[in-house]
Amino acid sequence: MSFFSKKRDNEGKAKDLRKNVELTAHQEELSDLLSRLGANAVRGLSSSDAAHKFRIEGPNVLTPPKTTPAWVKFLQELTGFFSLLLWGGAVLCFIGYGIDSSPDHLYLGIVLVFVVVVTGVFSFMQNSKSENLMNSFKNMLPPKVKIIRDGKNDEIMALNLVPGDIVFLEGGDLVPADLRVLECSDNFQVDNAALTGESEPQKRKNVTTHEDPLETQNLCFFGTQVPEGSCKGIVISTGDNTVMGRIAALAMSTSNEQTPINREIHHFIYIISGIAIFLGVLFFILNIIIGTPYIENLVFMIGIIVANVPEGLLATVTVCLTLTAQRMHAKKVLVKNLEGVETLGSTSCICSDKTGTLTQNVMTVAQVVYGDADTSVTKDAPSSFTGGRKTYDVNNVCFQKLCRCASLCNVATFNESSKWELNEEDGTKTLDEGGNPIPVPFSGFITQGDGSKLETIFWQPVGNASECAMIKLVQTESAAIGDVEATRTANPVKFVIPFNSKNKYQVHIHAKADGSGDVLQMKGAPERIIARCTHMMLDDKVVELTDIERKNIEEQQEALSANGLRCLGFAELDLDPNVYGEGYKYATDDAEFSSSNFPLGDTPNPDDLDAQGRRQNPVSTQGLVFLGLMALIDPPRPAVPPAVEKCKTAGVKVIMVTGDHPVTAQAIAYKVGILWSKTRGDMEKDNAKYGRAPGDPDYENPDDAAAIVVPGHTISVDTSEEEWDFILGHPQIVFARTSPQQKLVIVENNQRQGHIVAVTGDGVNDSPAIKKADIGIAMGIMGSEVSKNAADMILLDDNFASIVKGVEEGRLIFDNLKKSIAYTIQSNIPEITPFLGFIIFAIPLPLTTFLILAIDLGTDMIPAISMAYELPEADIMTRPPRNSKTDRLVTKRMINFSYLQIGLIQAIAGFFTYLVVFNDYGYSPSVLMGRGNTEVWGMQPFFCKFQGGSYVNLAGDLDTTRDPTIDPPSVQFPFWFPGQSGYLIDCGFAHNNYKGGGSNVSLSADGKSFNQFDSSTYGGSTKGHKANTIEAYEANYKARYFQYIPWRSRVSPFWQNRFLWWDVANDQNAGLNYGGADNNLYFGGRPAGLWSICAGNDGTLGKEGSSSEVRGAYVSPDAEVVDPSTFDFSQCSDTSYSNSYYKNAKFCNGQSTEEGTACDVVNSGKDGLSLNPFQSFYCKDSCGEQIPDSSLQFCDVNGNKCGIPGVNTPVAGCDQLCDDVCYSPSFMGDAEYGGSTSTGYKQCQNIASAEGALEVLRHAQGAFFLSIVVGQIAGLLVCKTRWLSVRTQGMRNNVMLFGIGTEILLCGWLAYCIPINDGLGTRNVRLVHWFCAIPFAMFIFIYDESRKAVMRATSPEKTDPITGQVTRKAGWLEQNTYY
């Protein structure tokens, strides 16, 4: 079978499951049914037939679903689209590390992996939940069941049942399969609450009463319970074929809907990742076109992607949802699916079950009817139905006798263990200090999730729900009329007639407590009780029951029933002790009489004889005394009506979906506010009742009805969409007598109309709809395990009002996530634009990827998370639910706001701060463009062309002998000071005109491995990097571009004098990669010596082809050059210079005899020239200040200086190197390799130009980072509200205040903590540079407050007078900027 045919079959099966239950077994003739099942009503099945059927049907269990292993779920958490994006970034980082061995790439990759794994683990732990849905159904199966097989009574495991088995059930049993009743007791009932939601046990008999299998009284269903009575039945379905099995299959076949927040986050990720990947690839291509090196290009692409992707979003969203879930738990709502919190806020329609959700699922006496001094009156009993009012008179004798009858004619009791505090461990009674058991009060108040108080009965009643309600009312007034058990003890029972469906009454005869005789107590259907009474009580008097009073009582009963109350009538009669004495034998009939031998108020029929020829006992016709009525209801929860009212205000449609009777459902719907106007059915009844016809002035058109009550039998999966649209078009809807399949179809059609649907329920019948809903909500106390496992959240207090709190929390989390994302992505623009400036304007990179991560995963995290604690804005529960198709989490207006408004201002602030820092340290903005997008900034000397100014030494003294316009700086005066009129004309780097091999560096001639100090081990290799040469430096000097070390750097906090005499063995310098640097990194910077093309080409430039010219980078070919002989640092005799690359060069640093004479000029200068300022020099023991050759001296063997300063040749007796003088390589002698180090000399180099530029860049990057944070603080404040002023909203979010404080402290830590700022590449930013961004931050705040003020002023609001919902006519500014 193909995949598509399987899919069609599965879809067809799912549709069949949605259809109403179709059974005919209840309508078949019993003989036909027994024949079809191969059973015998007396002998049952034979063992062989049962075994054969078992092989065909299989065990009587529900088929478990396929489960997803935990490790697969965990992998799913790690491989979401957003996570894959970060995984991709990490892989790119590791690839970059593999190419150039840069630890920055390695660390960045590790950080990205850490973010994905940690958030994945966190999400997995929060969302992991046991898949126990089918196990919950298994709990409905009893372990063993009594049956008949082979004509013998037997007891087998319930899972071995097969169709045709004859089963016996008794009170307290679980129904093990779908059964048809063969025989039963008169009081046999089943509790179908788990299946249909009906709060009252349902009567069962052995005759068909309805075509609908769920309504007929001769079927019992798997998983329901038998509260009382007994039954013999035949199994008609087992396992998956039962009605409950269909529900289970329906629940498992129902797909979970993707949550709105999940859709929104995916939508946001697609937008952000699309932007990131587009920009990354775009600039990667542009870099290829302009010739950017591959490694640098790859690093740049990674930076663009990292800058666009808010790495902290995963953690922020997860933490925000978790915090909200914790707040919800405090309000008695357990969130199983984190994303469900927001879904509840998006809800536009709540399909709520009635029993246990809107009502308390506890039958309660709501009103009583009894006789006062003059007539029968209706009084309120304390319940939520009556608003807690109590208007009955407890001192009224008639009321007292009514309560006595309710106690005595009643078999319900209170569970004894519930009256005492029990130890949780062993269930024994808890004792006080005196060793006495601690009693539990009869009733008290509990606090619900919404903070409201609900009076609760702590003593647990046991028995029929109606009888339990009566004894609770009586016990409430025990102080006045006596304790229930005490009353029963004082009035012992002598005779009982149980309730049966034929008589519809129950009779108890008790001995009176005062010993004056017996009293008959009767309760039952009001019409039956009234008909049996001839008298009534008015307070303490017994009077005749007149027709007027009878009509009065009947009218009151009708009024109670119209309100959905179930009424019971009560009567009594004091029996004459002279007739009914101590030994009197009460009987319902005897051999002579067909009726009882005591008064029952029977209708006189003296001439009628029964089948046995017996006549009526005249005693039984004696009338009774009517006591009154008790009206019972499963009352609404007190907090529900205001909660429903709040839903109306919030624009959330509340639909009641119940299995209960339409009349009861409608009455409760009016009580709780789901219905508040006439229903379509009521209008039709009134028109018919009063003879109204269309056109009459008082005719009520049913088509205009806003309310409708829909019985379940009128809808199905086959109902047309037009009919559904008509039904769901009513603003007030009640669905009654609905099946699980119909509930599911109701949910699906609401979803089809675009609603975000929440479904509440507590029964098994609710589980398919709960699972299908956008947000499924189960009851924690009364809910079945099946419904709990299918739900996304559980109401621990079963309180519908908690849902409304959840709606508010859900709206709040969506608002706050919007604000959090708007805040988070503000930093994208100031994070992206540095890379754009780096590639477009070729400025030094203003912000590194590590600093971006420091923002996204560091400074932004707590402020972003603090949005989860932000209080709701005033209109949150008066605006309509968001339209999930238009009101997205991330909209164009948000992108516009965060990117093009706030983000752009932050970027401008960052660049302003960046340029200020560069300028303050001697690098004017004009010299940065075109100089920074190479890999040499901070790695090689920086050259500038000066106009005026002066050279300065370390002490600040001016060099009056040199003109910076035409003369280079000297060793003693290396700094350039602009003075009053000096300025930089242009700056640049020397041309990287040599590219050696890309292979590993060669071994030296004597087999030594590569050593950065030993020039003989270089072998002409630069590991594929382009390197500059002494000839390129020479070319720059000839064009009057001199080595630039600004005086402002000298007076800066980062300056170190040792930059002028750096020990190249020191591995602390991250810029030039000396010391223990990796070969790749080392060759990417300036090595410990100089490359010379001339030395590698026998003193000429002509070995590379037709071109034989060298020039400095950024110097045009026609630039003015001075006489080449003026600045000769190499031994080439060529006089022309151009931009050429050479394949051969020699490395010179005086560390090997293999350099020979080719490196002499490079190592010492030419024609008596002063020291080569670019070459290494050597100092004894430690590097120190270099002095010019004109001042050099030598020492004798005793270490005394001798010879003539300036004469650079040692003479006999004066040929030793002095310990306090630093020498160029040529003066070190022709020592073997390692001679300098073996004699205690250190190799030193002037790195001040490169290191100064690098330090300034790191200060500027740190300041740029700080400016973003300052801007983000303003951005955080403006994101507190989307509509209101921050002044109105207030600064009551302490977590946000904490976040701002920690943000500032974290900035200080990252900028000033030495180990951290070394790792991030930041420096101790001067205090003044913190303030550069403050005016921009103030502008952000003032601008946004003004924007919102104008937006509020130009968008008028209108309030619906009925629902209180606020609608707003959006003005231009709101339409274009409200996100």
Side-chain angles (χ1 to χ4, degrees):
M1 185 181 290
S2 69
F3 166 78
F4 294 103
S5 61
K6 285 182 179 178
K7 183 177 180 181
R8 284 194 298 270
D9 288 347
N10 290 335
E11 289 175 348
K13 183 178 179 182
K15 185 174 181 180
D16 287 341
L17 289 172
R18 283 165 168 75
K19 293 181 178 179
N20 292 337
V21 176
E22 296 177 0
L23 282 178
T24 58
H26 63 296
Q27 295 177 302
E28 288 184 71
E29 289 294 332
L30 182 58
S31 58
D32 294 339
L33 177 65
L34 291 171
S35 176
R36 179 169 64 82
L37 295 176
N40 184 288
V42 178
R43 297 183 56 81
L45 291 173
S46 66
S47 296
S48 58
D49 286 345
H52 175 70
K53 287 191 174 189
F54 187 82
R55 286 192 295 270
I56 297 174
E57 299 288 339
N60 178 32
V61 294
L62 304 183
T63 303
K66 294 180 180 179
T67 57
T68 304
W71 66 270
V72 173
K73 293 181 182 178
F74 180 62
L75 284 181
Q76 289 171 346
E77 294 289 352
L78 296 180
T79 53
F81 186 82
F82 193 80
S83 298
L84 288 176
L85 195 63
L86 297 186
W87 279 120
V91 169
L92 288 177
C93 290
F94 293 138
I95 291 173
Y97 174 71
I99 293 173
D100 66 1
S101 300
S102 171
D104 285 359
H105 298 155
L106 176 63
Y107 300 151
L108 181 57
I110 292 173
V111 168
L112 293 178
V113 170
F114 177 79
V115 170
V116 176
V117 172
V118 169
T119 53
V121 169
F122 191 70
S123 297
F124 173 75
M125 293 175 64
Q126 287 294 326
N127 281 325
S128 60
K129 54 186 177 184
S130 58
E131 295 292 337
N132 286 332
L133 188 56
M134 296 307 293
N135 290 334
S136 307
F137 284 100
K138 290 179 184 177
N139 293 335
M140 298 180 169
L141 188 66
K144 290 187 176 183
V145 62
K146 297 174 183 178
I147 67 167
I148 298 178
R149 276 192 187 169
D150 299 319
K152 299 177 182 179
N153 291 336
D154 197 2
E155 190 173 60
I156 65 170
M157 299 297 294
L159 59 85
N160 292 325
L161 281 177
V162 295
D165 268 325
I166 305 299
V167 176
F168 293 101
L169 298 177
E170 296 177 349
D173 286 347
L174 287 173
V175 179
D178 286 358
L179 310 176
R180 174 168 167 175
V181 178
L182 300 178
E183 302 172 7
C184 66
S185 63
D186 285 342
N187 63 338
F188 178 58
Q189 294 179 329
V190 288
D191 184 355
N192 281 347
L195 185 64
T196 65
E198 293 168 302
S199 55
E200 279 284 296
Q202 302 299 302
K203 179 68 180 173
R204 285 296 177 260
K205 59 178 70 172
N206 62 351
V207 294
T208 304
T209 59
H210 205 287
E211 289 185 7
D212 188 339
L214 295 179
E215 294 288 344
T216 188
Q217 294 187 2
N218 65 337
L219 291 183
C220 303
F221 299 105
F222 166 83
T224 58
Q225 192 174 26
V226 180
E228 63 178 315
S230 60
C231 156
K232 175 183 176 182
I234 182 170
V235 175
I236 58 174
S237 299
T238 59
D240 292 336
N241 296 321
T242 62
V243 172
M244 201 68 76
R246 288 174 57 90
I247 295 174
L250 185 60
M252 299 314 300
S253 69
T254 303
S255 59
N256 283 324
E257 296 294 307
Q258 185 184 23
T259 61
I261 192 63
N262 188 277
R263 289 195 294 267
E264 293 302 324
I265 291 174
H266 274 78
H267 175 252
F268 168 63
I269 290 170
Y270 290 142
I271 293 174
I272 291 297
S273 59
I275 294 173
I277 294 171
F278 171 75
L279 290 177
V281 172
L282 174 65
F283 284 96
F284 184 82
I285 294 172
L286 291 177
N287 279 335
I288 291 175
I289 294 174
I290 65 177
T292 304
Y294 173 74
I295 296 176
E296 182 183 334
N297 197 3
L298 181 63
V299 173
F300 175 77
M301 184 176 73
I302 294 172
I304 283 287
I305 293 175
V306 169
N308 271 278
V309 176
E311 293 80 7
L313 178 66
L314 268 180
T316 300
V317 171
T318 303
V319 171
C320 285
L321 290 173
T322 302
L323 289 172
T324 305
Q326 290 175 351
R327 287 206 302 269
M328 293 290 288
H329 189 270
K331 296 175 180 177
K332 306 293 186 181
V333 179
L334 176 63
V335 178
K336 292 173 61 182
N337 179 1
L338 291 181
E339 295 173 350
V341 179
E342 192 284 326
T343 306
L344 196 54
S346 306
T347 298
S348 57
C349 175
I350 299 176
C351 293
S352 178
D353 184 37
K354 176 185 74 71
T355 306
T357 307
L358 300 174
T359 65
Q360 298 177 29
N361 197 22
V362 178
M363 291 300 289
T364 304
V365 177
Q367 291 181 306
V368 292
V369 176
Y370 63 87
D372 65 4
D374 301 313
T375 186
S376 293
V377 292
T378 299
K379 298 292 184 178
D380 291 338
S383 69
S384 57
F385 182 85
T386 59
R389 294 186 306 275
K390 180 179 76 171
T391 59
Y392 56 72
D393 181 6
V394 73
N395 296 314
N396 182 287
V397 175
C398 183
F399 175 75
Q400 292 177 353
K401 289 201 172 188
L402 175 65
C403 290
R404 185 181 70 170
C405 185
S407 297
L408 297 180
C409 193
N410 191 321
V411 296
T413 61
F414 290 108
N415 188 324
E416 189 63 24
S417 63
S418 68
K419 300 179 181 180
W420 307 95
E421 290 190 12
L422 303 178
N423 293 312
E424 294 183 2
E425 297 179 357
D426 56 9
T428 59
K429 294 179 180 179
T430 304
L431 305 179
D432 60 18
E433 295 179 354
N436 301 311
I438 302 176
V440 171
F442 171 70
S443 64
F445 289 90
I446 60 170
T447 302
Q448 300 188 104
D450 60 350
S452 63
K453 299 285 187 179
L454 178 65
E455 186 173 10
T456 301
I457 305 296
F458 295 136
W459 290 9
Q460 297 300 316
V462 179
N464 177 279
S466 298
E467 293 191 338
C468 289
M470 297 173 200
I471 63 171
K472 285 190 293 184
L473 173 67
V474 174
Q475 189 66 33
T476 302
E477 302 297 343
S478 59
I481 59 179
D483 179 86
V484 171
E485 293 301 326
T487 300
R488 290 175 177 175
T489 302
N491 299 268
V493 63
K494 300 181 70 173
F495 185 78
V496 173
I497 300 178
F499 180 89
N500 62 65
S501 56
K502 178 183 177 182
N503 296 331
K504 293 189 177 181
Y505 63 74
Q506 177 180 352
V507 175
H508 283 212
I509 297 177
H510 291 256
K512 289 192 286 187
D514 58 8
S516 61
D518 297 341
V519 60
L520 181 147
Q521 307 279 350
M522 176 184 283
K523 81 169 187 296
E527 64 277 9
R528 297 292 180 93
I529 302 300
I530 295 171
R532 292 175 178 273
C533 294
T534 57
H535 293 75
M536 64 178 293
M537 282 202 74
L538 294 180
D539 197 358
D540 58 348
K541 301 184 295 293
V542 175
V543 299
E544 182 181 354
L545 181 58
T546 64
D547 290 342
I548 295 175
E549 279 299 330
R550 193 180 299 273
K551 184 178 179 181
N552 175 35
I553 295 169
E554 289 172 349
E555 288 176 348
Q556 292 182 76
Q557 181 219 328
E558 289 177 1
L560 295 173
S561 298
N563 282 328
L565 302 177
R566 182 188 179 206
C567 294
L568 289 174
F570 296 83
E572 73 169 18
L573 183 66
D574 289 325
L575 300 177
D576 185 352
N578 297 320
V579 178
Y580 307 99
E582 183 68 25
Y584 190 82
K585 300 294 185 182
Y586 296 99
T588 56
D589 60 0
D590 55 29
E592 182 182 356
F593 298 107
S594 61
S595 61
S596 63
N597 61 354
F598 53 87
L600 279 180
D602 289 343
T603 302
N605 290 304
D607 298 329
D608 287 351
L609 302 177
D610 67 1
Q612 299 176 24
R614 297 179 302 176
R615 60 186 176 84
Q616 185 182 48
N617 191 331
V619 175
S620 67
T621 63
Q622 181 181 345
L624 308 180
V625 178
F626 181 75
L627 297 177
L629 304 174
M630 284 192 178
L632 299 92
I633 194 171
D634 179 8
R637 292 177 173 274
V640 169
V644 172
E645 197 64 31
K646 204 167 187 180
C647 285
K648 296 178 194 175
T649 304
V652 179
K653 188 174 186 178
V654 181
I655 298 175
M656 180 189 289
V657 184
T658 179
D660 219 334
H661 194 278
V663 174
T664 305
Q666 180 173 329
I668 293 296
Y670 277 116
K671 281 292 180 182
V672 299
I674 291 176
L675 300 181
W676 62 90
S677 61
K678 265 191 175 182
T679 67
R680 181 181 182 86
D682 287 343
M683 287 184 178
E684 291 171 345
K685 289 178 183 177
D686 286 351
N687 288 335
K689 180 179 180 180
Y690 298 107
R692 300 167 182 163
D696 291 347
D698 55 350
Y699 176 75
E700 295 177 321
N701 189 347
D703 291 338
D704 296 335
I708 187 171
V709 177
V710 184
H713 65 82
T714 64
I715 57 174
S716 71
V717 69
D718 298 320
T719 302
S720 67
E721 289 187 0
E722 291 77 12
E723 179 67 17
W724 275 112
D725 291 342
F726 169 74
I727 294 171
L728 298 178
H730 293 79
Q732 308 162 49
I733 307 174
V734 171
F735 290 97
R737 279 287 190 249
T738 53
S739 67
Q741 291 83 357
Q742 290 165 342
K743 290 187 178 185
L744 179 59
V745 175
I746 291 168
V747 172
E748 290 175 333
N749 278 279
N750 274 288
Q751 289 174 330
R752 178 180 58 80
Q753 289 196 334
H755 284 293
I756 301 297
V757 182
V759 171
T760 71
D762 59 352
V764 176
N765 58 319
D766 301 314
S767 58
I770 285 175
K771 193 172 181 189
K772 178 63 179 175
D774 296 285
I775 174 72
I777 306 167
M779 303 299 111
I781 299 173
M782 303 302 296
S784 66
E785 290 300 315
V786 179
S787 63
K788 291 178 187 177
N789 284 315
D792 298 297
M793 59 177 58
I794 299 171
L795 303 182
L796 299 178
D797 60 355
D798 290 8
N799 188 3
F800 178 85
S802 298
I803 300 175
V804 181
K805 288 290 183 182
V807 170
E808 184 171 351
E809 285 288 350
R811 291 188 177 191
L812 177 60
I813 195 62
F814 187 81
D815 275 10
N816 288 347
L817 275 178
K818 255 184 179 290
K819 296 172 184 178
S820 183
I821 290 175
Y823 164 76
T824 300
I825 64 176
Q826 285 174 8
S827 61
N828 278 15
I829 291 298
E831 289 172 354
I832 294 168
T833 48
F835 288 91
L836 302 184
F838 174 70
I839 192 65
I840 295 174
F841 302 109
I843 60 175
L845 184 62
L847 197 67
T848 66
T849 50
F850 267 109
L851 289 175
I852 291 173
L853 288 178
I855 294 170
D856 292 347
L857 301 177
T859 59
D860 271 1
M861 285 294 286
I862 297 179
I865 292 171
S866 73
M867 284 295 185
Y869 294 91
E870 190 60 35
L871 298 175
E873 295 185 51
D875 66 338
I876 194 167
M877 287 302 284
T878 57
R879 60 179 184 240
R882 72 179 183 89
N883 186 327
S884 59
K885 295 180 180 178
T886 57
D887 190 5
R888 311 299 298 267
L889 184 64
V890 178
T891 61
K892 292 179 181 178
R893 285 177 286 185
M894 178 188 285
I895 297 296
N896 177 294
F897 172 78
S898 293
Y899 276 31
L900 301 183
Q901 297 176 47
I902 308 303
L904 189 59
I905 298 171
Q906 290 182 8
I908 293 172
F911 278 103
F912 174 75
T913 305
Y914 167 86
L915 294 175
V916 167
V917 172
F918 263 104
N919 190 73
D920 285 353
Y921 289 133
Y923 297 84
S924 61
S926 62
V927 304
L928 298 180
M929 291 183 62
R931 306 298 181 256
N933 68 341
T934 67
E935 55 185 5
V936 298
W937 183 278
M939 305 282 281
Q940 297 177 7
F942 194 52
F943 295 86
C944 288
K945 196 168 189 176
F946 307 121
Q947 178 62 51
S950 304
Y951 293 123
V952 185
N953 65 10
L954 279 170
D957 302 322
L958 301 180
D959 184 355
T960 58
T961 64
R962 293 172 180 267
D963 180 2
T965 304
I966 58 175
D967 298 319
S970 65
V971 173
Q972 286 185 310
F973 291 86
F975 306 100
W976 181 75
F977 176 66
Q980 295 295 322
S981 58
Y983 59 91
L984 301 177
I985 299 174
D986 190 25
C987 294
F989 293 96
H991 179 53
N992 288 337
N993 56 348
Y994 171 60
K995 184 176 182 180
S999 61
N1000 288 328
V1001 290
S1002 305
L1003 296 175
S1004 62
D1006 57 359
K1008 295 191 295 289
S1009 299
F1010 171 71
N1011 185 307
Q1012 67 180 23
F1013 304 107
D1014 186 353
S1015 58
S1016 67
T1017 63
Y1018 280 70
S1021 173
T1022 60
K1023 291 290 288 182
H1025 289 277
K1026 295 173 183 177
N1028 52 37
T1029 64
I1030 186 62
E1031 287 78 16
Y1033 294 165
E1034 182 178 322
N1036 269 10
Y1037 266 44
K1038 292 179 185 297
R1040 295 181 180 173
Y1041 281 76
F1042 304 126
Q1043 187 172 199
Y1044 179 50
I1045 308 174
W1047 172 251
R1048 290 183 181 178
S1049 293
R1050 164 66 185 87
V1051 295
S1052 67
F1054 63 77
W1055 175 259
Q1056 300 177 47
N1057 288 342
R1058 62 181 182 148
F1059 290 163
L1060 297 170
W1061 49 80
W1062 190 267
D1063 184 347
V1064 298
N1066 190 336
D1067 62 359
Q1068 294 179 356
N1069 178 31
L1072 300 179
N1073 301 307
Y1074 289 146
D1078 178 270
N1079 289 345
N1080 277 335
L1081 298 177
Y1082 175 71
F1083 284 102
R1086 179 180 170 187
L1090 291 171
W1091 291 100
S1092 173
I1093 298 171
C1094 294
N1097 291 280
D1098 300 330
T1100 178
L1101 298 175
K1103 285 197 172 183
E1104 303 301 323
S1106 59
S1107 175
S1108 59
E1109 302 173 335
V1110 178
R1111 73 173 178 84
Y1114 307 110
V1115 182
S1116 61
D1118 57 351
E1120 177 188 358
V1121 296
V1122 298
D1123 182 356
S1125 63
T1126 306
F1127 308 114
D1128 280 350
F1129 304 127
S1130 73
Q1131 58 193 33
C1132 292
S1133 57
D1134 305 70
T1135 59
S1136 58
Y1137 299 84
S1138 69
N1139 192 359
S1140 300
Y1141 292 99
Y1142 292 83
K1143 298 179 180 177
N1144 296 318
K1146 194 173 188 64
F1147 191 73
C1148 305
N1149 66 2
Q1151 285 278 15
S1152 172
T1153 56
E1154 293 182 15
E1155 294 180 12
T1157 58
C1159 288
D1160 284 351
V1161 175
V1162 178
N1163 289 337
S1164 64
K1166 186 178 180 181
D1167 301 329
L1169 187 72
S1170 298
L1171 280 174
N1172 184 339
F1174 305 104
Q1175 182 57 291
S1176 299
F1177 54 95
Y1178 295 85
C1179 302
K1180 183 71 171 178
D1181 297 330
S1182 62
C1183 293
E1185 186 173 2
Q1186 187 183 12
I1187 61 175
D1189 285 356
S1190 58
S1191 303
L1192 277 180
Q1193 285 184 292
F1194 292 89
C1195 290
D1196 57 24
V1197 294
N1198 297 318
N1200 299 316
K1201 285 188 171 64
C1202 56
I1204 303 173
V1207 178
N1208 298 335
T1209 304
V1211 297
C1214 193
D1215 56 0
Q1216 302 296 312
L1217 301 181
C1218 301
D1219 290 348
D1220 59 349
V1221 178
C1222 298
Y1223 299 90
S1224 60
S1226 61
F1227 296 125
M1228 300 304 294
D1230 294 329
E1232 71 281 358
Y1233 163 69
S1236 62
T1237 55
S1238 65
T1239 55
Y1241 277 82
K1242 300 289 186 181
Q1243 183 179 350
C1244 311
Q1245 203 153 291
N1246 181 347
I1247 65 168
S1249 178
E1251 188 67 17
L1254 178 65
E1255 287 294 319
V1256 173
L1257 175 60
R1258 287 179 171 169
H1259 274 77
Q1261 289 172 338
F1264 198 111
F1265 162 73
L1266 295 178
S1267 74
I1268 293 178
V1269 174
V1270 171
Q1272 283 291 85
I1273 292 174
L1276 182 67
L1277 294 178
V1278 302
C1279 286
K1280 271 179 65 69
T1281 63
R1282 295 192 294 148
W1283 181 257
L1284 299 178
S1285 166
V1286 174
R1287 181 175 178 273
T1288 304
Q1289 184 75 354
M1291 291 297 295
R1292 293 171 290 174
N1293 187 340
N1294 293 328
V1295 179
M1296 181 176 288
L1297 297 176
F1298 172 77
I1300 293 173
T1302 54
E1303 191 172 16
I1304 296 171
L1305 291 176
L1306 187 58
C1307 281
W1309 187 58
L1310 296 177
Y1312 297 105
C1313 182
I1314 293 177
I1316 301 298
N1317 62 13
D1318 276 344
L1320 291 176
T1322 58
R1323 292 297 181 264
N1324 298 346
V1325 178
R1326 288 165 54 186
L1327 182 62
V1328 67
H1329 292 150
W1330 281 75
F1331 294 102
C1332 295
I1334 289 181
F1336 295 90
M1338 295 173 63
F1339 176 77
I1340 288 173
F1341 184 79
I1342 294 171
Y1343 160 75
D1344 195 65
E1345 283 290 286
S1346 302
R1347 178 187 68 85
K1348 286 183 282 197
V1350 174
M1351 190 166 62
R1352 292 191 299 272
T1354 56
S1355 298
E1357 293 182 345
K1358 182 180 179 181
T1359 303
D1360 188 305
I1362 298 176
T1363 64
Q1365 185 178 332
V1366 175
T1367 55
R1368 193 162 62 222
K1369 185 177 181 181
W1372 181 89
L1373 198 60
E1374 181 181 355
Q1375 293 174 15
N1376 290 276
T1377 68
Y1378 181 71
Y1379 61 90

